[in-house]
Amino acid sequence: MIDPGDLVPELADLCRAHEIVGAAMGVSSGGERAVAVHGGADVSTGVPVEPATCFQAGSVTKAMTATAVAMLVADGSVGLDEPVISYVPEFRVHDDHATRAITVRHLLTHTAGFDGDVWPDHGDDDGALGRLVAGIAHLPQLSPPGRAFSYSNVGYAVLGRLVERVVAAPFAAALRTMVADAAAARLEVDVRRLDPGTFAVGHVRGPEGWTPIEGVQGPACLAPAGSRTWATVDDLLRFGELHLGRRAPQHHEALVAMRQPHLAVPDPNNGGTMALGVLLDDRWGSPVVLHDGGVAGQSAYLRILPELDAVLVVMATGGVPQVFHRHVFRALARSRFGLEAPAAVAADPSIVIDAARVAGVYDATATRLELRAADHGIEAEFRWRAGSDEVRSGWLPVRAASDRVLLAPFGGRDLVIVTPPTAEPCDHVLQSLRRVNRRAR
């Protein structure tokens, strides 16, 4: 048996160091599971994190949506290289050619090319997803379908709508019957289905310390992308075991096919390779299948190690989870499996950034980034938009981690900017995995 107290003895110290309000982490190894917890689920009520506490899975849900699609591909209901409009006839983006050309595979691999980083609200009922997909004809094309990677929440909402259309059921019901039941897990897509006091809330730092975030979950129309999926650490461990073939073995071949590498993801903090709905990381000393998630002040991190028959999960609220989870995984990998999990990418002071190559304004629907020359080298200002609201980072110093990867410190972590593999002036960058095109001069 795995002793939960032995998983990460320094868990409390790591939570304090990274200002985590509450966290749960777990391991599945050879079919045995164990969960360790620390801190609070809600500072306003004093409810502690328990092994049965539900957190938001965030974009780990994308791996679940992809799992449902993979099952439909395996039974012949869906073709990976068929146009999306074959299954979702209301699907339209601004570019008519792209509308006809975008395939299921493009959506799974974030290569559909349209600007999908928006956060709309189309109501809180089962029709929200359909209304979203019927209302995205204004979204511009950032690159031709299949040409380049750009992380897309709306793309996964479209996949969720595809699942709804093919199985003739609302997405939440399809997630439960296709994925949760196969994993013997509970995955809920509405906090109202949970009992009070059984779930964590997100937290934000205010003048008097950490306070709960208003609005416990995101809009229903983005549920397949991860706006409102609730799960315990044990539920995510069971989902990982499904991908190891320990559960519902009739689906194992379909889920192994999801690990097929498709294209490089140049952000080194996110695995390095995009597969079908999951990312791959070959830097641990054993192959890792992964997905991360963050929404409404909560975060979730899933790591599946197929060759070791193991799953690792971290879920947290508050603090700087982007740094915290790496320390937890490094401790777990070393103590349990003798592996060296990668640290976050770090700046290399010897690399000089070419200001003439990168300086400019990069703009998309929800993000604006400006890079400019400064006395110390380069500085960046980020603007994040949600409807009429805009959050600005202020001007931040930029350092280079490589010839392509730039880092800007913000909120206790580094924001990653990835430039194209060319010496020419940049026509776009990737910021938090999203493509942002350079504004015409």
Side-chain angles (χ1 to χ4, degrees):
M1 294 291 291
I2 304 172
D3 184 347
D6 291 339
L7 291 181
V8 180
E10 64 268 38
L11 180 61
D13 292 338
L14 288 173
C15 285
R16 284 189 290 270
H18 300 289
E19 302 185 90
I20 300 298
V21 173
M25 48 83 59
V27 173
S28 169
S29 180
E32 292 185 10
R33 298 187 306 280
V35 175
V37 300
H38 179 78
D42 183 342
V43 297
S44 67
T45 63
V47 172
V49 174
E50 303 282 359
T53 298
C54 287
F55 290 81
Q56 291 214 59
S59 286
V60 175
T61 305
K62 290 182 174 70
M64 301 173 188
T65 300
T67 297
V69 173
M71 292 174 178
L72 295 175
V73 170
D75 73 13
S77 299
V78 171
L80 282 175
D81 296 309
E82 288 298 311
V84 172
I85 56 172
S86 299
Y87 310 102
V88 188
E90 69 269 33
F91 172 67
R92 296 286 186 279
V93 291
H94 186 68
D95 185 291
D96 289 339
H97 171 74
T99 296
R100 296 189 300 271
I102 291 170
T103 67
V104 176
R105 189 187 303 272
H106 291 149
L107 294 181
L108 285 168
T109 57
H110 297 285
T111 57
F114 62 85
D115 187 352
D117 194 23
V118 294
W119 198 257
D121 192 342
H122 288 276
D124 206 31
D125 61 292
D126 288 341
L129 192 50
R131 290 191 291 273
L132 167 69
V133 175
I136 59 173
H138 65 288
L139 293 180
Q141 203 69 18
L142 302 177
S143 60
R147 180 77 58 84
F149 178 92
S150 183
Y151 193 84
S152 178
N153 285 313
V154 173
Y156 268 74
V158 175
L159 284 172
R161 180 59 175 158
L162 180 150
V163 171
E164 285 191 336
R165 283 280 199 171
V166 173
V167 305
F171 175 76
L175 181 71
R176 284 194 292 270
T177 58
M178 297 179 68
V179 180
D181 287 355
R186 184 184 184 188
L187 304 172
E188 295 293 354
V189 187
D190 193 334
V191 72
R192 292 170 294 189
R193 293 178 62 90
L194 302 177
D195 294 330
T198 64
F199 57 88
V201 300
H203 291 83
V204 63
R205 179 176 284 286
E208 299 180 0
W210 292 101
T211 58
I213 288 178
E214 293 185 13
V216 175
Q217 61 188 8
C221 62
L222 289 174
S227 63
R228 49 167 56 195
T229 302
W230 296 87
T232 66
V233 163
D234 189 68
D235 291 326
L236 290 193
L237 290 174
R238 289 169 179 266
F239 174 69
E241 290 177 345
L242 173 65
H243 277 260
L244 292 174
R246 286 195 160 272
R247 302 178 182 279
Q250 70 272 23
H251 297 304
H252 186 53
E253 185 175 346
L255 303 189
V256 169
M258 288 176 61
R259 305 174 202 163
Q260 178 186 352
H262 273 67
L263 74 161
V265 177
D267 183 339
N269 282 342
N270 286 279
T273 302
M274 187 71 218
L276 289 173
V278 292
L279 293 132
L280 310 176
D281 195 337
D282 62 2
R283 299 172 297 167
W284 289 53
S286 185
V288 173
V289 181
L290 68 100
H291 215 297
D292 297 345
V295 64
Q298 299 189 51
S299 56
Y301 303 89
L302 171 70
R303 302 292 182 268
I304 303 169
L305 291 81
E307 293 184 358
L308 299 180
D309 192 22
V311 185
L312 313 179
V313 172
V314 173
M315 306 183 86
T317 176
V320 189
Q322 300 90 344
V323 179
F324 166 75
H325 86 275
R326 293 188 181 280
H327 288 282
V328 175
F329 281 147
R330 283 172 68 81
L332 272 175
R334 189 179 297 121
S335 64
R336 298 289 313 175
F337 306 106
L339 301 177
E340 197 63 33
V345 63
D348 183 343
S350 69
I351 299 175
V352 178
I353 304 169
D354 181 356
R357 175 173 171 263
V358 303
V361 176
Y362 303 82
D363 218 347
T365 302
T367 303
R368 180 185 185 275
L369 166 65
E370 183 172 358
L371 294 166
R372 71 183 186 186
D375 292 340
H376 56 266
I378 293 288
E379 59 186 9
E381 184 189 52
F382 300 82
R383 301 184 191 184
W384 298 283
R385 309 180 186 111
S388 60
D389 297 330
E390 181 179 83
V391 176
R392 294 191 179 193
S393 67
W395 288 99
L396 308 172
V398 175
R399 303 156 297 151
S402 70
D403 291 339
R404 295 187 61 193
V405 178
L406 310 179
L407 307 175
F410 181 76
R413 67 189 194 278
D414 283 324
L415 300 178
V416 178
I417 305 164
V418 181
T419 63
T422 172
E424 300 298 318
C426 299
D427 63 351
H428 75 278
V429 296
L430 283 183
Q431 199 279 302
S432 297
L433 294 178
R434 279 84 169 168
R435 182 181 174 111
V436 190
N437 284 348
R438 188 180 199 143
R439 185 184 293 175
R441 300 192 183 195

